[in-house]
Amino acid sequence: MPKAQQKGYVLDTHRLCDPAQTLASVRPHLAEMGITRIANLTGLDRVGLPTVMVTRPNSRSVAVALGKGLTLEAAQASGVMEAVETWHAERITRPLRAASYADLRQEVLVADVERLPQVTGGSFNPHGRMLWVEGLDLVSGQPHWLPLEMVDTDYTARPCGGQGAFPRTTNGLASGNSLAEATCHAICELIERDAITLWHHASPGPRIDPAAIADPRCREALERFEAAGLRAGIWNITSDVGVAAFHCMICEDGARPGHIGIGSGCHPDRGIALLRALTEAAQTRLTYISGARDDLDPEEFTPQASAGRTQYVRGLLERSPAAARFEDCPDYSSPSFEEDLSWLLGKLAGAGMGQALAVDLSRPGLGVAVVRAVIPGLEAPHDDPDYIPGPRARAAGEALP
């Protein structure tokens, strides 16, 4: 990693520079990456939290990315960076090797495949040849090789050179103004998805009392929900990793029908983690209102599906008393991403994660750093259609009274 640089923007996320500078660095390359439109969706809902959609019609995965923030520029930067990182992961230029796991591990260091997530219908053959991509273990500082199918996001065909044994998602894919910034975002996403999976396998527990949340950024979002006639439920889903993570659900107050919103967030700074969950909930609600995403099933937009989601959220809110405190959640803040990264790796090691693998997908001259992180041992997203609970999720379910 190069010499540590001070964070220059810490309002609704942490970046080396503000959203306008982030956008300026990548804007000259948007056409090259197939990005044709950045559309403001905010006015389609009455909440007013800035949300945008970014279209990439020739995408090899989803054609629409979404972004959110406390300002329109922040939302635009969020959406553009999501589209940019997926474009990079569709066109991997890193060194590849074709080999079986059994042969490859005799020559080089390899990911701990026994701790990687499994998928329904998949079966890993350690003696079957497959493609591997070179990455770096951030714990040891040594190059490690990991399955290409966990890094590549070209979904227009079957996994290139893979066995179909591991998840093909964008979990752990992130971008930033520097490699350290992108890596921290990627690791936080993996910790977040692990935490929400564990929460779904365990008892939800009490909600956080929104009235006792003093963070001014989070208060702004909560007051927007209230003014729009929406109820908000917030749960502390921080796992044994010890990095602040929250889950938020919003729905229409009273008996009126309408769209729900669900969001989660993870960050060393608990205020940023909660704000991510709140703004993502607003973004999800706008996703249903706008119909923008091309990876949603049409059945999800039927009145019956909408009513079912609303009933689920209202029931969960009624069953969960608002007895937890935001101040009891872990909190950490540093002036640089290098310090954040060191802290995150320490937290992962304390939870038994011996490897933290990162594949640098950045391309020279495009003004952005892109990283795909894979951490053997963490759970995959529970809502993937081919998800199989791993040891951590099974243990969380078994701990129920």
Side-chain angles (χ1 to χ4, degrees):
M1 290 284 182
K3 183 179 178 181
Q5 296 175 276
Q6 301 293 297
K7 298 173 184 175
Y9 181 81
V10 294
L11 177 60
D12 43 11
T13 187
H14 286 189
R15 292 196 184 278
L16 279 182
C17 54
D18 65 40
Q21 293 172 293
T22 299
L23 286 168
S25 67
V26 299
R27 193 177 293 278
H29 310 288
L30 297 187
E32 178 182 347
M33 291 182 273
I35 296 172
T36 61
R37 185 184 182 204
I38 305 170
N40 183 3
L41 300 181
T42 312
L44 296 180
D45 197 4
R46 61 184 187 275
V47 175
L49 283 169
T51 301
V52 305
M53 61 175 281
V54 179
T55 55
R56 195 164 55 93
N58 291 325
S59 168
R60 299 174 187 175
S61 51
V62 294
V64 173
L66 294 158
K68 72 278 187 186
L70 286 182
T71 68
L72 182 57
E73 274 192 334
Q76 290 171 333
S78 170
V80 165
M81 295 294 264
E82 181 177 299
V84 165
E85 67 202 29
T86 310
W87 181 89
H88 279 75
E90 293 170 353
R91 296 163 174 82
I92 293 175
T93 58
R94 297 290 302 177
L96 304 178
R97 292 188 62 166
S100 70
Y101 170 73
D103 289 340
L104 191 64
R105 67 190 299 235
Q106 301 300 318
E107 304 175 19
V108 295
L109 297 171
V110 187
D112 186 353
V113 294
E114 292 185 358
R115 300 191 72 191
L116 294 177
Q118 301 178 14
V119 295
T120 302
S123 178
F124 176 65
N125 177 6
H127 300 286
R129 283 170 61 86
M130 57 186 289
L131 284 179
W132 302 79
V133 62
E134 184 184 40
L136 179 72
D137 179 15
L138 301 172
V139 176
S140 68
Q142 297 294 313
H144 277 60
W145 292 76
L146 55 158
L148 176 64
E149 64 189 82
M150 287 199 72
V151 180
D152 167 57
T153 61
D154 183 352
Y155 303 147
T156 59
R158 291 180 57 82
C160 179
Q163 298 183 11
F166 304 107
R168 299 190 74 203
T169 70
T170 58
N171 189 27
L173 177 63
S175 56
N177 296 285
S178 72
L179 193 60
E181 178 184 322
T183 303
C184 287
H185 290 323
I187 289 175
C188 284
E189 182 170 87
L190 289 169
I191 296 172
E192 172 193 323
R193 301 289 171 74
D194 171 83
I196 192 63
T197 293
L198 298 182
W199 183 81
H200 273 277
H201 280 79
S203 173
R207 292 180 285 120
I208 291 176
D209 181 4
I213 297 173
D215 184 285
R217 300 161 298 183
C218 298
R219 283 248 54 88
E220 178 183 344
L222 288 167
E223 288 166 5
R224 285 182 179 274
F225 291 150
E226 184 177 358
L230 300 176
R231 293 184 64 188
I234 303 164
W235 288 264
N236 174 13
I237 62 170
T238 305
S239 70
D240 57 326
V241 177
V243 183
F246 300 94
H247 193 52
C248 174
M249 297 186 185
I250 58 175
C251 67
E252 298 285 351
D253 200 2
R256 62 192 296 184
H259 294 289
I260 67 162
I262 299 177
S264 53
C266 174
H267 196 274
D269 182 326
R270 68 186 176 206
I272 295 294
L274 177 55
L275 186 61
R276 284 182 173 179
L278 297 172
T279 54
E280 187 172 270
Q283 174 186 286
T284 304
R285 181 175 150 91
L286 263 168
T287 301
Y288 283 114
I289 291 172
S290 66
R293 289 284 292 216
D294 51 315
D295 57 343
L296 293 178
D297 193 305
E299 292 183 1
E300 295 191 54
F301 293 90
T302 64
Q304 295 83 358
S306 179
R309 288 192 297 268
T310 301
Q311 185 176 6
Y312 166 75
V313 174
R314 286 174 177 163
L316 196 56
L317 290 171
E318 295 301 325
R319 296 193 302 271
S320 302
R325 288 164 28 96
F326 176 65
E327 292 75 11
D328 293 337
C329 305
D331 189 31
Y332 174 81
S333 183
S334 84
S336 74
F337 286 104
E338 286 76 11
E339 291 171 82
D340 280 5
L341 181 56
S342 177
W343 183 82
L344 287 167
L345 293 175
K347 288 294 184 180
L348 287 165
M353 308 303 149
Q355 292 181 343
L357 309 176
V359 182
D360 182 2
L361 302 178
S362 313
R363 292 198 180 192
L366 293 185
V368 64
V370 177
V371 167
R372 179 61 180 263
V374 174
I375 301 177
L378 292 184
E379 290 287 330
H382 74 284
D383 52 356
D384 288 344
D386 56 2
Y387 168 74
I388 295 178
R392 288 168 61 78
R394 293 196 298 269
E398 291 168 0
L400 287 171

